[in-house]
Amino acid sequence: MKPVNTNSSPSGLRITDMRFVDIDGAPKRCTLIKIMTNQGLTGYGEVRDASSKLYAQMLKSRILGENPCNVDKIFRKIKQFGWHSRQGGGVSGVEIALWDLAGKAYGVPLYQLLGGKFRDEVRVYCDTDVDGRHTGRDMGLALKKRMDMGFTFLKMDLGIGLLMDEPGTINAPLGFIDDMKKYAPQVLNVQGGSVTADMVKHQKSYAIVNTAHPFTGIHLTEKGLDYLENYVKEVREVIGYEIPLAIDHFGHVCVEDCIRFARRMERYNIAWMEDMVPWMYTDQYVRMRNATTVPVCTGEDIYLKEDFQKLILAGGVSVIHPDILTCGGALELKKIADFADEHGVAVAIHMAESPVACMAAVHAAAAMNHVLAMEYHSVDVPWWQDMVTGLPKPLIRNGFIQVPDGPGLGFEDINEEVVRAHINPNIPGLWESTDQWNTEFSNDRLWS
């Protein structure tokens, strides 16, 4: 680790510019943020995967001239411009870039600014996909390879996409499943994400993608439940029952069928079932949690602590799963985790982004009283860690990431050669001027 810049004068530090670069395939597309200052210090942040840098660009005029060390003050100024899911990416990404700058200005790691650390290393769970038509044994073998790499906690996708070509497993209005296959295949192929730009442009696709679980009319037959149960049984026959296994991306199915499925899963020691219905249906989460012994989890699309508090106080979750790039950033994640901890709810961290967001999440996890594990979704991206410099290689050892002691987020710099090689071809440019956003204005006051 290079020595920290000791020439900084924190009280005189001011933000002078904010620029971006869009990358693709890490494992998804995401936007890196660079905030520059009058003293030569640079802070890095990131917009949530599959989001838009517009959500961060519009904040530039609000933060120019501010002292980045006043993180909470600036956050309170800009947080009105965030919202749930990808709309939280701008505010959250700027927030972690401010912490990076504050840490560098004072020469301390982010975890220290959050109150110090509870642990020297953070467990990561390995999210694993298997492409195409496959069996539970195929998934089990893929997961076993992760175990052989040293991972101690696993997650897999499991849902109605497995049933699309299995006759008699799904009950739905005739023609609806065919329309999903034709107009919204990403809903079924979760590895690629749930929404693409082309789908947003097509009204039929947009309507299907934005039809929430209670309104699709999709149900599972007993044959479908048998198929999914056998799939999980085959997975466990390969990996055993000792290692935690979480499941995600079930599909747009009503809560009653989620409960039927959950009861089938109880014998297979599932660590949690994630996002079974949209997070905002608190009553449905309460029904589901009260109907099964499988831990119920949600949270990656929730912005700010207040909606986490509603779910927790209602008794709707066993595990919460915030993403640092949606929930409001590092300090908000710490507040959310503290509230969960006080109410006996476990915390895991969603993370499917670049090393910038990863290291911010590692610092936040280190500063939490309790954390189960942090997601890692880039095992199969060989250049992932090379996007930044100054971290030990390999970053993940025996299923853990060591918490760095370097200032700010703990890495030295962005490796521009690697980033340049993976710029999103649809959004070209490396740290290009954003002067057009310097004077963007609206009356931001929320009251008259």
Side-chain angles (χ1 to χ4, degrees):
M1 181 65 64
K2 293 179 181 178
V4 65
N5 181 352
T6 57
N7 297 321
S8 172
S9 174
S11 62
L13 200 62
R14 295 292 183 270
I15 295 171
T16 58
D17 205 354
M18 178 165 65
R19 300 193 178 194
F20 306 89
V21 60
D22 295 88
I23 58 176
D24 199 14
K28 302 178 182 180
R29 63 179 184 87
C30 54
T31 302
L32 304 185
I33 302 172
K34 178 163 70 171
I35 295 181
M36 291 167 272
T37 67
N38 60 338
Q39 296 176 21
L41 287 184
T42 298
Y44 292 105
E46 181 173 351
V47 180
R48 172 83 188 267
D49 66 280
S51 183
S52 169
K53 63 185 171 187
L54 174 66
Y55 299 127
Q57 288 172 324
M58 64 178 290
L59 304 176
K60 185 181 180 184
S61 63
R62 277 86 177 178
I63 68 174
L64 285 176
E66 292 277 7
N67 184 333
C69 298
N70 297 326
V71 181
D72 194 25
K73 173 190 172 186
I74 298 174
F75 176 73
R76 291 168 190 259
K77 183 178 183 180
I78 65 175
K79 74 174 183 177
Q80 64 174 292
F81 301 106
W83 193 238
H84 302 294
S85 190
R86 271 62 187 178
Q87 295 179 54
V91 171
S92 304
V94 167
E95 196 262 10
I96 65 172
L98 298 176
W99 283 122
D100 193 29
L101 280 166
K104 290 171 178 174
Y106 286 99
V108 295
L110 171 53
Y111 72 74
Q112 198 65 62
L113 297 172
L114 295 175
K117 60 181 176 179
F118 286 88
R119 56 194 57 82
D120 295 322
E121 58 183 9
V122 174
R123 186 188 309 275
V124 293
Y125 73 79
C126 190
D127 205 339
T128 301
D129 303 324
V130 175
D131 291 327
R133 189 176 175 88
H134 65 280
T135 66
R137 176 170 172 77
D138 295 328
M139 175 60 81
L141 293 172
L143 292 168
K144 185 64 168 62
K145 290 180 181 178
R146 305 306 198 206
M147 295 169 66
D148 294 341
M149 296 169 67
F151 288 99
T152 62
F153 203 119
L154 303 171
K155 189 170 84 173
M156 68 177 183
D157 295 329
L158 175 68
I160 64 173
L162 292 169
L163 305 179
M164 289 299 106
D165 297 316
E166 297 294 331
T169 58
I170 290 181
N171 171 293
L174 294 180
F176 185 75
I177 298 299
D178 291 333
D179 282 348
M180 289 181 71
K181 291 179 180 179
K182 180 178 180 180
Y183 296 108
Q186 296 294 91
V187 172
L188 306 173
N189 176 25
V190 294
Q191 289 87 346
S194 58
V195 180
T196 66
D198 289 341
M199 289 167 63
V200 171
K201 296 175 184 176
H202 196 290
Q203 288 299 314
K204 189 78 170 181
S205 302
Y206 191 83
I208 292 173
V209 169
N210 284 282
T211 301
H213 303 45
F215 314 117
T216 63
I218 298 174
H219 293 275
L220 301 180
T221 67
E222 288 299 311
K223 181 180 178 181
L225 290 170
D226 289 342
Y227 187 97
L228 295 176
E229 180 178 353
N230 185 65
Y231 182 97
V232 177
K233 180 181 178 182
E234 289 181 350
V235 170
R236 277 298 189 193
E237 286 173 349
V238 176
I239 67 172
Y241 283 77
E242 291 78 19
I243 189 167
L245 174 65
I247 56 177
D248 190 12
H249 290 295
F250 188 62
H252 295 195
V253 177
C254 66
V255 67
E256 290 82 4
D257 280 28
C258 292
I259 290 170
R260 293 169 62 215
F261 167 78
R263 289 172 174 165
R264 292 286 197 105
M265 293 296 105
E266 290 177 350
R267 70 186 68 183
Y268 299 105
N269 298 96
I270 301 301
W272 68 71
M273 52 183 192
E274 182 178 329
D275 293 329
M276 298 294 286
V277 295
W279 64 265
M280 66 284 292
Y281 298 133
T282 302
D283 290 347
Q284 294 192 21
Y285 270 94
V286 173
R287 286 177 61 192
M288 187 161 44
R289 190 180 181 218
N290 289 340
T292 180
T293 58
V294 176
V296 173
C297 172
T298 193
E300 71 178 77
D301 294 316
I302 301 178
Y303 180 61
L304 302 182
K305 64 182 182 298
E306 286 79 8
D307 281 301
F308 282 99
Q309 291 172 338
K310 291 177 186 176
L311 266 170
I312 290 168
L313 291 176
V317 284
S318 309
V319 182
I320 57 165
H321 198 227
D323 191 303
I324 197 169
L325 295 186
T326 280
C327 75
L331 181 57
E332 194 74 2
L333 178 53
K334 167 84 158 108
K335 292 177 181 179
I336 292 164
D338 284 345
F339 188 85
D341 188 62
E342 292 166 4
H343 292 81
V345 171
V347 181
I349 298 175
H350 181 268
M351 197 289 296
E353 295 102 11
S354 86
V356 176
C358 176
M359 297 319 297
V362 164
H363 282 278
M368 295 177 186
N369 188 22
H370 295 111
V371 62
L372 287 175
M374 183 187 78
E375 180 176 10
Y376 181 62
H377 212 314
S378 302
V379 177
D380 300 318
V381 183
W383 48 271
W384 183 85
Q385 183 177 345
D386 295 332
M387 281 190 279
V388 299
T389 61
L391 294 175
K393 289 189 175 182
L395 180 63
I396 300 175
R397 300 179 188 230
N398 298 317
F400 288 84
I401 296 178
Q402 290 292 127
V403 181
D405 287 324
L409 300 185
F411 59 86
E412 288 176 2
D413 209 346
I414 297 292
N415 186 334
E416 293 192 355
E417 180 180 355
V418 173
V419 168
R420 191 184 297 274
H422 298 281
I423 288 177
N424 190 326
N426 297 317
I427 319 174
L430 177 69
W431 311 130
E432 294 183 338
S433 172
T434 56
D435 286 351
Q436 68 271 28
W437 291 97
N438 289 1
T439 56
E440 193 278 332
F441 170 79
S442 72
N443 180 354
D444 295 344
R445 193 172 64 187
L446 298 179
W447 42 270
S448 296

